[in-house]
Amino acid sequence: MSTQDRQLGHGRDRFRVAVANADFDFRGLKVDDPKPTGRQLLAAAGFRPPEEHLIFQVLHDGALQERRLDETVELREKGAERFIAFRSDRSFRVEVDERRFEWGSAKLTGLIAKQLAGADDPACIGVWLERRDEPDLFIEDTDVVELATEGIEKLRTGQLFLLYIEEKEFRWPKPTIITEQIAELGGWDPSEGVQQIDLATNEARTLEPGAIVDLKELKTFAKKIGWRRG
């Protein structure tokens, strides 16, 4: 840890750490001990009684490592300053993009899965729950995945595609969309028709019923292409 990350206090260095709850809301604090125990960190962050909580260290690669209450953590090493605490008596396992994480709650939201995956722009990333012998289930940011005490729930992330329908912004979880789905998103009956608009030139073409639009081809022009009824 650099000298910028330390502040002198009471004749010795104070070490800066950040402890969050399960929604990744990190709160900074300083501790005097360069090797505090999990119990000390929980108490310093206000998670009391420590015996009713779990604490995980956020490693430099984004993985989580559970720390026992009596286990010490070296704060003078780079990447040892962030922790997540849970009011729980057991941990659960989840796999996101083939990376396994320990998690201190039986519930995990789509947004938290994106954060575990290290998404730079969560708004442009989607989350799917992998299911055997059936299509993967799309998980919204606020959707909750129940983690089983046995086995591992597997999630994957992928690109969301930006659509502009009658000047409103929508995010679509698939690389293609059909005429009827555009109308449904826009909030009108498909029988009213759908027009694809070049927003730069205002040129329009009518989409046939069932027409497939490849959003991967349009993604670099997302701010120039839109749709409207008609």
Side-chain angles (χ1 to χ4, degrees):
M1 183 180 294
S2 69
T3 54
Q4 291 180 341
D5 292 326
R6 302 181 186 175
Q7 290 190 359
L8 196 63
H10 305 295
R12 57 181 174 178
D13 288 344
R14 304 192 73 194
F15 297 85
R16 183 174 296 171
V17 300
V19 182
N21 52 20
D23 62 3
F24 280 72
D25 183 18
F26 284 95
R27 183 170 65 88
L29 64 145
K30 300 185 182 79
V31 296
D32 295 328
D33 193 340
K35 295 181 67 175
T37 64
R39 178 181 280 103
Q40 287 175 307
L41 288 169
L42 285 165
F47 293 94
R48 301 174 184 270
E51 292 75 17
E52 295 182 5
H53 292 79
L54 300 178
I55 188 165
F56 293 78
Q57 179 183 340
V58 183
L59 303 181
H60 69 279
D61 62 355
L64 301 180
Q65 183 174 7
E66 185 176 355
R67 297 298 187 181
R68 301 185 306 275
L69 291 181
D70 59 352
E71 183 178 1
T72 60
V73 180
E74 175 58 74
L75 296 182
R76 291 170 293 195
E77 295 179 359
K78 183 179 180 181
E81 300 88 3
R82 292 198 304 157
F83 303 86
I84 300 177
F86 300 85
R87 192 178 190 93
S88 178
D89 61 354
R90 71 194 68 183
S91 61
F92 299 81
R93 290 181 295 175
V94 62
E95 196 171 281
V96 183
D97 290 341
E98 299 185 345
R99 294 182 62 201
R100 187 169 297 182
F101 295 88
E102 295 290 327
W103 190 246
S105 172
K107 297 181 179 182
L108 183 78
T109 65
L111 180 58
I112 294 298
K114 294 179 186 182
Q115 292 170 319
L116 288 175
D120 293 329
D121 186 357
C124 294
I125 297 295
V127 176
W128 288 261
L129 175 64
E130 295 183 350
R131 301 189 295 182
R132 182 176 298 178
D133 300 326
E134 56 183 307
D136 294 346
L137 178 65
F138 180 65
I139 305 296
E140 297 281 1
D141 283 358
T142 56
D143 288 345
V144 175
V145 177
E146 298 283 349
L147 303 181
T149 54
E150 296 182 2
I152 303 174
E153 294 291 358
K154 295 184 178 182
L155 304 170
R156 65 175 176 85
T157 63
Q159 182 181 359
L160 289 179
F161 295 88
L162 195 64
L163 289 79
Y164 293 92
I165 304 176
E166 298 207 325
E167 299 183 352
K168 292 182 180 180
E169 183 179 290
F170 297 87
R171 297 184 188 275
W172 185 249
K174 299 178 182 179
T176 60
I177 190 170
I178 64 173
T179 303
E180 288 76 8
Q181 291 170 325
I182 294 172
E184 183 178 354
L185 280 178
W188 68 83
D189 192 288
S191 64
E192 296 183 52
V194 175
Q195 288 187 329
Q196 182 170 305
I197 312 299
D198 184 322
L199 300 180
T201 64
N202 207 36
E203 294 180 357
R205 72 181 184 90
T206 300
L207 297 181
E208 296 292 332
I212 299 174
V213 178
D214 189 337
L215 299 176
K216 290 186 293 185
E217 293 183 356
L218 297 177
K219 68 179 182 181
T220 56
F221 306 101
K223 294 183 179 179
K224 294 184 179 180
I225 300 296
W227 291 268
R228 70 187 181 199
R229 75 186 73 199

